[in-house]
Amino acid sequence: MLTDRQLMILQVIIDDFIESAKPVGSRALSKKDTLPYSAATIRNEMADLEESGFLEKTHTSSGRVPSEKGYRYYVDHLIGPEIYQHGLGIIERLTNNGIYEFEQIVQTAAEALSKLTNYTSIILGPEMFEATVKQIQVLALSDQSAVAILVTNTGHVEHRSFTLPKGVSSSDLEKLVNILNDRLHGIPLYRIPEVIQNEVASLMMKYMNGLDSSLNWIRTLFTQEQAVKLYFGGKANILMQPEFNDVDRIRSFYSLMEREDEIVNLLKNSNQGIKVSIGHENEVEEIKDLSLITASYHIGGGQMGTIALIGPTRMEYKKVLSLMESISREMTGAMGKWYSDKS
């Protein structure tokens, strides 16, 4: 249990380090008006905070820096976001300028968020992981061609034409449709390839002829790129952080940014509301020394998307939490209106 004095000192240290990125010493802290304690008293308290795991000592300085445990306590107990009562107005300005298309709104929001924070922003469109399969139909157009109709729980309908492999009969198509509807109903779109591989394939082997050719075109048919995607803002912002003066860290971060499937999996597992993951709380290796903040937004029709910011553990948490809360609220309002207008 931390004392009130320790809490005050911890908060000032973290605030100072977030601003300066330099280790904080007791002598500098004793000169601050907010800490009416001697350098010796502060030094003793810092030693106790270090022993408790809230601070760490660097090799290059006599000062201390916050640990991941310290940042976690700071976020959970020492700060509260400053709510933008009137909102940021990002989405409102876009619609006032005549921008109503989903992709334009989301991409511009991602870029605006990255500029306001100087971190890397990522926005995941909702249907990538929220829409599920409601029904699949396959209609033969001729002996060689057919069309697959995919209907989602949100009412979205996709038509995909394809060439039938040799040897596939109308009876095979009927069996296939039954298998697909049985196994894929209620499955999120992003999981279709996984379920086809692990469940549908074995049933096709049991009930259909020509498994190899049929399975190949099934995979091709349902692994086409989805209409929604990731929207990035400020990928290069991470280079402006003093922590990123190591070429290997930069290479590792940019490697992750190129692996969009992993980022989708990372963001789709985020909880509703705002979530802060600090350092090793992150499961992905490339961001175990970074912080990831996610916030959900709703679009209507049961769909949900995710807004994310990636930055150093020395992140301006108070400012960022405020911005995420505000932009989540704005996007939910604007996207709800967009969805109702399109319905």
Side-chain angles (χ1 to χ4, degrees), residues 204-264:
M204 290 177 65
M205 184 181 298
K206 183 176 180 180
Y207 294 108
M208 293 181 62
N209 297 318
L211 170 68
D212 291 340
S213 60
S214 298
L215 189 57
N216 286 335
W217 66 261
I218 291 290
R219 286 198 189 101
T220 302
L221 187 61
F222 290 107
T223 55
Q224 296 180 21
E225 183 180 355
Q226 299 297 328
V228 291
K229 58 183 181 181
L230 291 168
Y231 304 83
F232 292 91
K235 281 187 180 181
N237 283 353
I238 205 74
L239 300 179
M240 295 186 289
Q241 305 300 329
E243 293 89 344
F244 270 75
N245 56 6
D246 183 277
V247 174
D248 289 335
R249 291 186 69 187
I250 295 171
R251 185 183 295 116
S252 175
F253 177 78
Y254 274 94
S255 173
L256 175 63
M257 291 299 101
E258 295 300 318
R259 304 198 304 273
E260 295 194 0
D261 287 347
E262 287 189 38
I263 297 176
V264 169

Side-chain angles (χ1 to χ4, degrees), residues 190-209:
Y190 77 91
R191 286 197 58 213
I192 288 179
E194 171 195 342
V195 177
I196 287 176
Q197 179 65 34
N198 296 335
E199 300 181 28
V200 172
S202 60
L203 291 172
M204 290 177 65
M205 184 181 298
K206 183 176 180 180
Y207 294 108
M208 293 181 62
N209 297 318

Side-chain angles (χ1 to χ4, degrees), residues 24-32 37-40 42-43 46 62:
V24 184
S26 57
R27 188 167 181 273
L29 289 175
S30 68
K31 297 178 180 180
K32 292 183 177 291
Y37 311 116
S38 68
I42 294 173
R43 186 161 52 251
M46 289 175 68
S62 60

Side-chain angles (χ1 to χ4, degrees), residues 72 275-283 287 290-294 313 317:
R72 170 49 61 195
K275 178 184 178 184
V276 180
S277 300
I278 301 170
H280 283 77
E281 295 172 358
N282 292 299
E283 296 180 1
I287 58 172
L290 299 171
S291 283
L292 168 69
I293 300 184
T294 59
T313 53
Y317 293 102

Side-chain angles (χ1 to χ4, degrees), residues 44-82:
N44 290 334
E45 296 289 16
M46 289 175 68
D48 289 342
L49 288 169
E50 181 182 358
E51 186 176 340
S52 299
F54 294 97
L55 298 178
E56 296 174 342
K57 186 175 176 61
T58 66
H59 297 294
T60 58
S61 169
S62 60
R64 307 303 200 279
V65 299
S67 65
E68 291 180 8
K69 180 180 178 180
Y71 283 125
R72 170 49 61 195
Y73 193 91
Y74 177 81
V75 169
D76 290 346
H77 303 289
L78 298 182
I79 63 168
E82 296 176 353

Side-chain angles (χ1 to χ4, degrees), residues 61-277:
S61 169
S62 60
R64 307 303 200 279
V65 299
S67 65
E68 291 180 8
K69 180 180 178 180
Y71 283 125
R72 170 49 61 195
Y73 193 91
Y74 177 81
V75 169
D76 290 346
H77 303 289
L78 298 182
I79 63 168
E82 296 176 353
I83 303 301
Y84 291 84
Q85 298 294 343
H86 303 291
L88 298 172
I90 295 173
I91 310 300
E92 183 180 356
R93 285 194 294 272
L94 291 176
T95 54
N96 286 344
N97 289 333
I99 297 176
Y100 295 101
E101 288 303 316
F102 177 87
E103 289 211 10
Q104 286 181 287
I105 291 175
V106 177
Q107 182 62 58
T108 305
E111 293 169 357
L113 187 58
S114 70
K115 289 178 182 177
L116 288 168
T117 61
N118 288 323
Y119 304 135
T120 298
S121 66
I122 309 170
I123 299 182
L124 179 61
E127 191 166 333
M128 180 71 76
F129 59 93
E130 274 299 307
T132 61
V133 176
K134 182 178 180 181
Q135 185 180 20
I136 295 173
Q137 294 179 324
V138 178
L139 304 177
L141 302 178
S142 67
D143 292 339
Q144 292 83 33
S145 64
V147 61
I149 303 171
L150 173 66
V151 183
T152 72
N153 64 318
T154 63
H156 178 68
V157 180
E158 285 192 39
H159 299 79
R160 299 177 181 176
S161 298
F162 60 95
T163 301
L164 287 170
K166 293 181 179 180
V168 175
S169 65
S170 58
S171 176
D172 288 330
L173 284 180
E174 184 178 349
K175 291 176 185 176
L176 173 64
V177 170
N178 290 337
I179 291 172
L180 291 176
N181 280 304
D182 178 65
R183 294 297 170 174
L184 297 181
H185 179 77
I187 296 296
L189 297 188
Y190 77 91
R191 286 197 58 213
I192 288 179
E194 171 195 342
V195 177
I196 287 176
Q197 179 65 34
N198 296 335
E199 300 181 28
V200 172
S202 60
L203 291 172
M204 290 177 65
M205 184 181 298
K206 183 176 180 180
Y207 294 108
M208 293 181 62
N209 297 318
L211 170 68
D212 291 340
S213 60
S214 298
L215 189 57
N216 286 335
W217 66 261
I218 291 290
R219 286 198 189 101
T220 302
L221 187 61
F222 290 107
T223 55
Q224 296 180 21
E225 183 180 355
Q226 299 297 328
V228 291
K229 58 183 181 181
L230 291 168
Y231 304 83
F232 292 91
K235 281 187 180 181
N237 283 353
I238 205 74
L239 300 179
M240 295 186 289
Q241 305 300 329
E243 293 89 344
F244 270 75
N245 56 6
D246 183 277
V247 174
D248 289 335
R249 291 186 69 187
I250 295 171
R251 185 183 295 116
S252 175
F253 177 78
Y254 274 94
S255 173
L256 175 63
M257 291 299 101
E258 295 300 318
R259 304 198 304 273
E260 295 194 0
D261 287 347
E262 287 189 38
I263 297 176
V264 169
N265 288 329
L266 178 67
L267 299 187
K268 69 180 174 58
N269 290 324
S270 300
N271 298 326
Q272 292 193 39
I274 294 180
K275 178 184 178 184
V276 180
S277 300

